[in-house]
Amino acid sequence: MAAREFYFTSESVTEGHPDKIADQVSDAVLDAVLTDDVNGRVACETLITTGLVVVAGEITTETYVDIPRLVRRTISEIGYTRAKYGFDAETCGVIVAIDEQSADIEQGVDDSYEAQHGDDDPLNRVGAGDQGMMFGYASRETDELMPLPIQLAHLICKRLSEVRKADVLPYLRPDGKAQVTIRYEVDEHGRQRPVEIERILVSTQHRDGLDSETLIKPDLIEHVLRPILPHAFYDEKRLEEKDFVYVNPTGKFVIGGPMGDTGLTGRKIIVDTYGGAAPHGGGAFSGKDPTKVDRSAAYAARYVAKNVVAAGIAERCQIQVAYAIGVAHPLSVLVDTFGTEAEGLTQARIEQLVRDHFDLRPAAILRDLDLRRPIYEKTAAYGHFGREDRDFTWERTDKADALRTAAGLAEPATV
């Protein structure tokens, strides 16, 4: 039976994209609170448009945060330091509209449903900060156990910012996007694997007066794409093909950043996670302290899925976990390995292994992943998953060996 094939595309954006600016500002506020108040409660939203930043939300803390100064510092570090770039961190207006967290929500987090009904287990005292469902995912497609399309899109966008800041391509501006299409093959057992990069799209803001096809495209191929694209997935001759790499298809991209488009916190949730290769529960991450399960449980679900795959229990794993506001125990936990589980293991057995080795109550997640730290601003661009950073505790595979042993698999776990 011939292998079936399909194409899958994912997108990332640079740190200078207006929605990502908003995410970084919101997480900068969160980090500033957690630096001096690990128990601070933050739900911070940012809107950014031509010449104006609005920071609003609910914050309950014992510390003071100079939000206007923080906004200007964050935007300046991204690179919007001149009006000709479409935004100036020093002269933009900043409006702050902050209130305290709702007492009703606070009560459910600090005094859970279980605690109110006589349960004295300390880990049952913290209730979920909201209702909802969260997803985690991991796949053997890359060394980072991430889907290949989103991983490459992130690398391209990060490289765009690096060559801009290093003055390798000084005519670039902070705003930009990348989109990568991968061809997959599916074998007779239904297992899929990435085979080839089919197409790349890069849209990058630039100085006026430059031709995208004759100047910018060759520069991006030489300084952005060649250094990072994995040779196992493309023939370098394809870089010279007209329809393999698209750069600024409209012809130019001069008006960008907040002048070109309004930015909002939480509007790039698929960029933040798995590029559409796995579902998203709907809740955004940035600007939310880790008592909000929108964030912390999504991190925990990634941690579970990554350890399952690293253990060799499955080639792909997706975790769904659902919560009720104010309740400590998850309402449901679902494991799906898409038929890629190791020989001799069943879906029911893998779900039991997950229950035995991972505690998905909010207090346990905060403890096990050490989330009450100011580590969040750097999560807000280039994805929350698949990155090597010791602060990203949800990327550890420290339970893989124990899982493998419990599953009765002979070989040691590898990433």
Side-chain angles (χ1 to χ4, degrees), residues 215-236:
L215 174 65
I216 299 176
K217 181 175 178 178
D219 277 352
L220 294 189
I221 288 174
E222 183 63 27
H223 298 289
V224 176
L225 300 181
R226 285 189 196 276
I228 62 172
L229 293 181
H231 290 283
F233 292 101
Y234 81 108
D235 182 338
E236 191 150 336

Side-chain angles (χ1 to χ4, degrees), residues 388-401:
E388 293 183 5
D389 189 308
R390 64 182 183 179
D391 285 331
F392 290 22
T393 51
W394 50 93
E395 292 297 312
R396 298 181 312 205
T397 55
D398 53 335
K399 294 202 174 188
D401 284 332

Side-chain angles (χ1 to χ4, degrees), residues 19-20 22-27 30 42-45 265-266 269 272 283-289 295 299 376-377 379-381 384:
D19 291 331
K20 277 290 143 206
D23 285 343
Q24 289 165 92
V25 168
S26 292
D27 273 337
L30 170 61
V42 179
C44 178
E45 313 291 344
T265 299
I269 57 177
D272 288 342
F285 300 157
S286 290
K288 295 178 181 177
D289 76 78
R295 180 169 222 155
Y299 290 173
Y376 297 104
E377 185 178 356
T379 70
H384 294 243

Side-chain angles (χ1 to χ4, degrees), residues 26 28 48 51 63 119 122 141 149 152 170 182 198 279-280 282 292 294 307 317 337 363 377 388-389 396 414:
S26 292
I48 183 166
T63 191
D119 191 327
E141 293 180 30
L152 292 182
I182 300 293
E198 178 66 21
H280 192 295
K292 278 74 170 175
D294 278 345
N307 275 273
C317 181
T337 51
E377 185 178 356
E388 293 183 5
D389 189 308
R396 298 181 312 205
T414 58

Side-chain angles (χ1 to χ4, degrees), residues 92-389:
C92 67
V94 179
I95 296 174
V96 178
I98 298 293
D99 206 341
E100 291 189 345
Q101 183 184 61
S102 160
D104 292 348
I105 296 175
E106 185 176 21
Q107 174 180 309
V109 173
D110 294 336
D111 191 20
S112 70
Y113 175 86
E114 289 90 341
Q116 293 177 38
H117 288 78
D119 191 327
D120 59 2
D121 183 340
L123 291 178
N124 284 341
R125 186 160 192 86
V126 177
D130 202 353
Q131 71 178 52
M133 64 283 189
M134 298 82 208
F135 290 88
Y137 182 79
S139 169
R140 278 278 175 197
E141 293 180 30
T142 65
D143 291 342
E144 299 84 4
L145 305 186
M146 285 286 287
L148 182 60
I150 187 65
Q151 200 69 5
L152 292 182
H154 285 324
L155 287 175
I156 293 169
C157 285
K158 192 169 188 296
R159 182 71 178 172
L160 278 173
S161 290
E162 289 170 350
V163 298
R164 169 177 60 86
K165 291 181 175 180
D167 281 337
V168 175
L169 299 178
Y171 59 77
L172 295 183
R173 300 295 182 250
D175 198 356
K177 297 181 177 183
Q179 192 168 285
V180 178
T181 301
I182 300 293
R183 180 169 67 88
Y184 285 79
E185 287 185 353
V186 184
D187 66 18
E188 64 272 17
H189 303 293
R191 300 192 176 202
Q192 64 185 49
R193 68 182 183 94
V195 175
E196 183 181 24
I197 300 171
E198 178 66 21
R199 196 154 284 111
I200 297 168
L201 166 62
V202 182
S203 296
T204 180
Q205 186 186 10
H206 59 87
R207 187 179 70 226
D208 199 6
L210 304 180
D211 184 78
S212 291
E213 192 65 25
T214 61
L215 174 65
I216 299 176
K217 181 175 178 178
D219 277 352
L220 294 189
I221 288 174
E222 183 63 27
H223 298 289
V224 176
L225 300 181
R226 285 189 196 276
I228 62 172
L229 293 181
H231 290 283
F233 292 101
Y234 81 108
D235 182 338
E236 191 150 336
K237 294 178 181 177
R238 294 204 65 199
L239 290 173
E240 308 305 324
E241 295 178 7
K242 179 177 177 61
D243 295 334
F244 181 61
V245 177
Y246 289 87
V247 173
N248 294 347
T250 65
K252 69 175 185 176
F253 184 1
V254 173
I255 301 172
M259 178 177 285
D261 192 12
T262 297
L264 294 170
T265 299
R267 203 159 59 175
K268 285 291 179 284
I269 57 177
I270 298 302
V271 171
D272 288 342
T273 53
Y274 308 102
H280 192 295
F285 300 157
S286 290
K288 295 178 181 177
D289 76 78
T291 67
K292 278 74 170 175
V293 286
D294 278 345
R295 180 169 222 155
S296 56
Y299 290 173
R302 162 66 176 172
Y303 178 53
V304 175
K306 188 173 183 181
N307 275 273
V308 168
V309 172
I313 288 173
E315 293 181 16
R316 295 168 62 205
C317 181
Q318 179 178 289
I319 307 292
Q320 187 207 51
V321 58
Y323 293 88
I325 188 168
V327 179
H329 287 87
L331 298 184
S332 67
V333 178
L334 174 66
V335 182
D336 189 352
T337 51
F338 307 96
T340 68
E341 56 271 11
E343 186 175 355
L345 291 178
T346 64
Q347 192 89 2
R349 176 61 180 141
I350 296 171
E351 288 186 352
Q352 186 60 53
L353 288 169
V354 168
R355 286 193 292 270
D356 291 344
H357 288 81
F358 299 94
D359 191 337
L360 294 174
R361 291 174 293 175
I365 294 171
L366 292 170
R367 176 199 65 190
D368 295 343
L369 298 183
D370 192 17
L371 294 181
R372 293 186 185 271
R373 295 174 295 139
I375 60 172
Y376 297 104
E377 185 178 356
K378 58 186 173 182
T379 70
Y382 312 118
H384 294 243
F385 307 124
R387 294 166 60 185
E388 293 183 5
D389 189 308

